[in-house]
Amino acid sequence: MLDHLRKPGFLVRLSCALLPLAFATGVEAATPKEGEVTILRDNYGTPRVYGSTDASLWYGVGYAMAQDRLWQAELLRRTARGTTAELFGPPALGGDITLRTLTGPEEGRIAQFEAATEEQKLIFTAYTDGINAYIAEAIRTGTLPQEFSAFGFEPEEWSPTDSINILQMLWLDVATGGGEELANAAQLQQLIAINGPEEGAKIFADTHWLEDPDAPTIVPANGALNPAHPGAGIGHGKPVLPAADFTKIQSRLDDLRSNLRRVGMGSGSSSNAAVIGPKLSATGRPLLMGGPQVGYSSPQLGHEMGIHYSGYDTFGVGVAGLPLTVVGVSTDMSWTTVTGGTDNSDIYAEVVNPDNPQQYRFNGEWLDYDCRLETFGVAGAPDTGKTICESVHGPVLGTAPGLAFSLKIAGRGKDLQSHEAYLGMIRAGSVQEAQESLKNFPYNLSLVSADRRGNIAYWHLGEIPLRAPDDNPWLPHDGTGNAEWQGFVPWEDMPRTVNPEQGWISAWNNKPRAGWQNSRMDFWNWGPVHRASTLTDYLSQLEPGTATIETLEELNRFAGWTNQTPSNAARNIFAPPLLGELLSRVDTGADPRLPAIAELLGNWDMQQLDLEPMGGDGYYDSPAVAIFNTWWPALTTRVFGDELGPQVMPALGSTLGNLVYRLLVDGVALPLQHDYLDGESAEQAVTAALVDALNQLTTEYASSDPGGWLQPVATIDWKPIGLGAVPDTVWMNRGTYNYIIQHGPGNNFIGQSVMAPGQSGDSQSPHFEDQLELYQSWEYKPMRLTRSGLNGAIESVIRLTPAWPN
């Protein structure tokens, strides 16, 4: 069925002038492969696609995407296929092998397509036809992106399974969490080697906890629609630690992240969101701020577009190669996603048959792996063959003596189910209708939404495994059949809230709700020290009837400038939850410099600011930034360095903030099991570390005057994914795409967005970096959801009559 979709269509360009639109509305559903499409671009080059049928609409969406981002779509396709080593040589081979291992063979994607709904088949095929039409035209006219010439090839025809493959890769990156058991096992090995079995186990428990009641939550305590679910599948069994070099096996996933970063992915993603209900809004209309945070690249991963026909009346951001608006706004709703962070993938230790290494033990039997031979092209080197095997749990990532390690992922193979859930949500007229579709989303995301009726909502989505009661979630799971998942958390027990009494919802990858357990490392192991506090502290102070678009603009700046250490570490230690506790433990009599330093830090607003980001002096205005950022590593090294060692300590990241919090605060829910102070008091450790920091800064700046201790500003490095590059910009911890919405009918709708560096992936285009200045100066452009809103802002119009493949 797919063969004909690999043949390029062609188009007839009817007009490039600014002609009035004349497209059908309110017509009966047309048969597939009919209709016309108009692509209208505004003065930032952002397309709005108007179809006269479903098929022509998605044809136009594919064509418009290819106009803007064909090279990016090609790289995403190659990354998902595991063929980037054909361009980039041996350094990309490891990531290619891992990606192809995780996404499975092409037959699986064909099977998904064949099982899709008729609507989905139409969407994917028409989208494919639009891409292929543009490819054929660009080849014919010599207008392919310059990167194709630089690498010396022309793009193959697109296929619907290419889009499905990219969708698989996207959800692996932003909606699959966990799979860290081998890294955890390596950490436990190192902690035991340094501290001995008993204390090593205690330190591992201190750094790997299941649920901390002190952690800030998205669902307010009085706003949950569902009770705590202690059976969320996280067991408390004794650690099982087979002898193996876990670090070497885990490195395969590091290779994967390296390839993903080349296409603007692989940052682990994160994102923030805030939504304000009618009672706090000055207009009585709900307000939403979306801030998807992905990799900093030029162009970035997001591609902005309006899609208009019948049930699709949306404006927002998708991903090149995908017929889907991932975040954005429709006539009735606005929505944004935040990486959920819950552990929904596990690594299993399979016992290998000593007499036949092609078999493994499961439920008392020796089973054969399902294996296939894959060939990988490598630029400048011979092709490489690799046998890829799967157990009943999933793809095998590596082996150790007598063992093989496989990865089980909730949602794997259900990519078009996720697409269908999204389509239903996009077409919904209210958050209540959206919820019915979102129940079926199989991966893990947090989704925040508002509708024009005034409802606001949050849902934690996906199939979350219920693990066996005695299964230890931190370490490799028993693959012999004793640690199988017991189903998934029922929808009625998933975290969610609609119209909470407090009148607002915020999310920044924090804990979904009270009682929610999680077995993730570092940032995702939720504790009391979390960057989400910067959002909740701000929103909790809003007075009824006061919030506006400008309120969310200010919130975005406030969160984006809040000091973290290091200053460009988006998910590391934030000052607000810790500074007050640290200062309360400083003995200002221990050093004559300390009273003035404590006063300086106590008066600091905890913002890292260079007040004129477009023309400042390149240094943060307050010396408190340098002091805090030097004090923090001095303290953590002094207190934890000996116990954690040089391998574990850097890997813990924001976990250290929660350890310090538990060290300093009385009555915490999770007191520390190991004594890290080595005979010092907390006051002595905190004070001595601050003195050490002052000495270090005196040497570094060759001055004892704190007024001169001004840290250079951190910057964003926009990594090119093609031949074009853009300048670095001042660091801000915010969405790579930002949009702010006031919902309501007619003139009550206000929308603004910014997508740096720009809409186009062509470095010769005026729209390659025309939003970069807006971004770094915290400005926005109008979103212009309606046709009338585009009056006076139209750059070009083209009309296409698709010539469909036979």
Side-chain angles (χ1 to χ4, degrees):
M1 180 173 181
L2 298 177
D3 289 344
H4 78 280
L5 300 176
R6 296 187 179 276
K7 300 176 183 178
F10 64 94
L11 58 90
V12 178
R13 186 179 300 273
L14 294 180
S15 175
C16 291
L18 300 182
L19 298 177
L21 296 178
F23 53 92
T25 58
V27 298
E28 294 182 1
T31 58
K33 311 302 186 185
E34 290 184 0
E36 295 183 352
V37 60
T38 301
I39 300 174
L40 183 154
R41 291 184 181 272
D42 68 14
N43 51 355
Y44 284 93
T46 307
R48 274 76 171 178
V49 181
Y50 297 89
S52 63
T53 64
D54 285 331
S56 66
L57 173 71
W58 292 104
Y59 181 101
V61 171
Y63 182 87
M65 181 285 297
Q67 282 184 305
D68 289 341
R69 301 287 185 90
L70 183 59
W71 175 249
Q72 183 179 40
E74 175 69 22
L75 279 189
L76 286 166
R77 169 168 67 170
R78 284 180 170 271
T79 303
R81 282 181 174 181
T83 62
T84 62
E86 294 176 5
L87 302 182
F88 302 110
L93 179 59
D96 280 352
I97 293 172
T98 301
L99 225 315
R100 210 179 293 183
T101 298
L102 294 179
T103 58
E106 177 74 350
E107 290 78 10
R109 289 177 286 279
I110 293 174
Q112 284 201 57
F113 182 84
E114 295 291 356
T117 67
E118 291 304 311
E119 178 189 31
Q120 285 181 300
K121 289 177 182 177
L122 184 148
I123 289 171
F124 277 81
T125 55
Y127 182 79
T128 293
D129 291 338
I131 296 173
N132 285 332
Y134 183 77
I135 290 173
E137 179 187 291
I139 291 173
R140 185 174 63 250
T141 59
T143 55
L144 281 172
Q146 58 187 335
E147 288 84 359
F148 288 101
S149 177
F151 280 96
F153 74 98
E154 292 180 350
E156 295 178 7
E157 296 171 3
W158 201 265
S159 166
T161 57
D162 292 331
S163 294
I164 296 171
N165 207 354
I166 293 173
L167 187 62
Q168 289 178 302
M169 180 173 66
L170 177 68
W171 295 147
L172 279 172
D173 187 38
V174 306
T176 301
E180 299 157 330
E181 288 86 352
L182 299 178
N184 292 330
Q187 290 181 13
L188 180 54
Q189 285 177 329
Q190 291 158 0
L191 292 173
I192 289 173
I194 295 170
N195 302 281
E198 183 175 349
E199 292 306 308
K202 288 182 180 179
I203 296 169
F204 187 79
D206 284 341
T207 55
H208 298 72
W209 60 92
L210 295 176
E211 196 265 325
D212 186 342
D214 292 332
T217 61
I218 299 172
V219 176
N222 63 350
L225 295 179
N226 50 335
H229 189 70
I234 308 290
H236 297 268
K238 294 181 179 180
V240 177
L241 191 63
D245 184 354
F246 300 108
T247 305
K248 181 179 179 180
I249 303 169
Q250 190 77 34
S251 67
R252 288 199 59 186
L253 299 178
D254 297 332
D255 291 338
L256 166 64
R257 281 185 282 271
S258 177
N259 278 23
L260 292 175
R261 290 188 184 102
R262 193 179 289 113
V263 290
M265 301 173 73
S267 65
S269 193
S270 43
S271 312
N272 63 13
V275 61
I276 297 172
K279 76 175 183 180
L280 295 177
S281 170
T283 64
R285 303 290 179 182
L287 301 160
L288 179 141
M289 179 188 79
Q293 290 179 280
V294 290
Y296 293 103
S297 62
S298 55
Q300 67 157 280
L301 182 65
H303 175 247
E304 198 172 36
M305 187 182 298
I307 302 175
H308 304 283
Y309 172 72
S310 186
Y312 305 100
D313 197 13
T314 66
F315 184 85
V317 157
V319 174
L322 285 184
L324 185 68
T325 303
V326 180
V327 298
V329 61
S330 70
T331 302
D332 294 305
M333 290 185 56
S334 55
W335 69 95
T336 191
T337 60
V338 174
T339 298
T342 294
D343 185 356
N344 64 344
S345 62
D346 287 345
I347 289 181
Y348 280 81
E350 316 283 6
V351 175
V352 176
N353 187 345
D355 299 322
N356 181 359
Q358 303 305 312
Q359 293 183 325
Y360 63 99
R361 192 77 171 170
F362 184 73
N363 284 343
E365 298 182 64
W366 294 114
L367 303 183
D368 294 329
Y369 292 110
D370 181 8
C371 296
R372 66 189 190 274
L373 178 63
E374 296 272 7
T375 301
F376 296 84
V378 184
D383 288 354
T384 296
K386 177 70 175 179
T387 299
I388 295 175
C389 296
E390 297 199 18
S391 73
V392 294
H393 300 111
V396 174
L397 296 178
T399 61
L403 296 173
F405 296 98
S406 60
L407 180 62
K408 184 173 184 177
I409 300 172
R412 186 173 188 249
K414 300 178 181 179
D415 308 284
L416 287 191
Q417 179 179 320
S418 74
H419 184 268
E420 177 68 9
Y422 244 93
L423 289 181
M425 185 269 297
I426 290 170
R427 290 192 298 254
S430 67
V431 298
Q432 288 84 359
E433 291 180 11
Q435 178 172 280
E436 293 307 306
S437 289
L438 292 172
K439 290 178 180 179
N440 300 313
F441 187 82
Y443 289 91
N444 178 230
L445 287 174
S446 287
L447 195 141
V448 176
S449 183
D451 66 31
R452 68 175 183 169
R453 302 178 187 181
N455 300 299
I456 63 175
Y458 155 77
W459 304 280
H460 197 67
L461 305 177
E463 296 180 347
I464 306 304
L466 289 164
R467 295 177 175 88
D470 58 349
D471 184 23
N472 186 293
W474 295 108
L475 301 172
H477 304 263
D478 182 355
T480 63
N482 296 317
E484 298 307 293
W485 293 351
Q486 312 295 299
F488 301 103
V489 176
W491 171 257
E492 57 269 21
D493 292 334
M494 291 289 286
R496 65 191 189 277
T497 185
V498 176
N499 298 327
E501 183 180 346
Q502 66 188 20
W504 55 268
I505 304 166
S506 68
W508 207 354
N509 313 116
N510 49 317
K511 182 177 176 178
R513 63 156 166 78
W516 191 255
Q517 299 177 332
N518 197 25
S519 46
R520 297 283 312 276
M521 290 172 56
D522 183 20
F523 173 77
W524 301 105
N525 200 13
W526 297 305
V529 176
H530 199 285
R531 64 184 184 180
S533 300
T534 60
L535 300 180
T536 58
D537 290 349
Y538 184 99
L539 291 167
S540 63
Q541 299 177 49
L542 292 179
E543 296 291 335
T546 61
T548 63
I549 289 281
E550 289 74 22
T551 302
L552 289 179
E553 290 178 352
E554 182 179 337
L555 172 62
N556 203 20
R557 287 193 301 272
F558 173 76
W561 290 136
T562 298
N563 194 91
Q564 76 265 187
T565 181
S567 289
N568 62 348
R571 300 196 306 220
N572 218 326
I573 305 305
F574 269 47
L578 287 163
L579 183 59
E581 297 295 340
L582 290 169
L583 288 175
S584 71
R585 300 300 183 113
V586 173
D587 177 6
T588 55
D591 186 290
R593 298 170 292 180
L594 292 179
I597 293 296
E599 182 179 7
L600 187 157
L601 290 171
N603 292 330
W604 177 39
D605 61 4
M606 291 176 279
Q607 299 279 286
Q608 46 187 37
L609 295 171
D610 182 14
L611 284 179
E612 297 179 356
M614 294 294 293
D617 62 4
Y619 295 87
Y620 291 123
D621 298 331
S622 174
V625 176
I627 295 170
F628 182 82
N629 288 354
T630 307
W631 184 13
W632 180 256
L635 174 64
T636 54
T637 300
R638 182 184 189 92
V639 175
F640 304 111
D642 290 346
E643 289 91 348
L644 299 181
Q647 283 78 43
V648 175
M649 188 161 169
L652 291 182
S654 61
T655 297
L656 296 174
N658 290 292
L659 295 185
V660 170
Y661 185 91
R662 293 169 187 146
L663 191 76
L664 300 181
V665 177
D666 295 329
V668 294
L670 291 182
L672 297 173
Q673 297 185 31
H674 177 78
D675 179 10
Y676 297 90
L677 290 171
D678 298 327
E680 284 189 316
S681 66
E683 288 78 4
Q684 289 171 325
V686 169
T687 302
L690 181 53
V691 171
D692 288 345
L694 300 182
N695 293 338
Q696 180 179 334
L697 289 164
T698 298
T699 300
E700 180 179 342
Y701 287 92
S703 171
S704 59
D705 178 11
W709 297 347
L710 301 181
Q711 178 183 306
V713 298
T715 57
I716 295 171
D717 174 18
W718 299 89
K719 296 187 181 300
I721 67 171
L723 297 180
V726 301
D728 293 350
T729 54
V730 175
W731 169 261
M732 312 166 190
N733 193 3
R734 62 183 289 197
T736 40
Y737 175 67
N738 264 136
Y739 59 111
I740 298 176
I741 302 294
Q742 176 184 289
H743 242 304
N747 293 332
N748 290 298
F749 174 84
I750 302 172
Q752 58 188 40
S753 66
V754 62
M755 184 185 66
Q759 174 71 15
S760 177
D762 177 4
S763 61
Q764 306 303 308
S765 167
H767 303 303
F768 181 67
E769 58 176 291
D770 60 339
Q771 296 183 54
L772 193 63
E773 185 173 330
L774 289 176
Y775 187 83
Q776 70 171 353
S777 58
W778 294 96
E779 296 180 80
Y780 304 83
K781 58 182 175 54
M783 291 184 78
R784 306 184 193 276
L785 180 63
T786 65
R787 169 62 183 86
S788 60
L790 287 162
N791 290 337
I794 300 173
E795 181 178 271
S796 67
V797 176
I798 64 172
R799 298 181 181 215
L800 312 175
T801 299
W804 305 101
N806 295 323

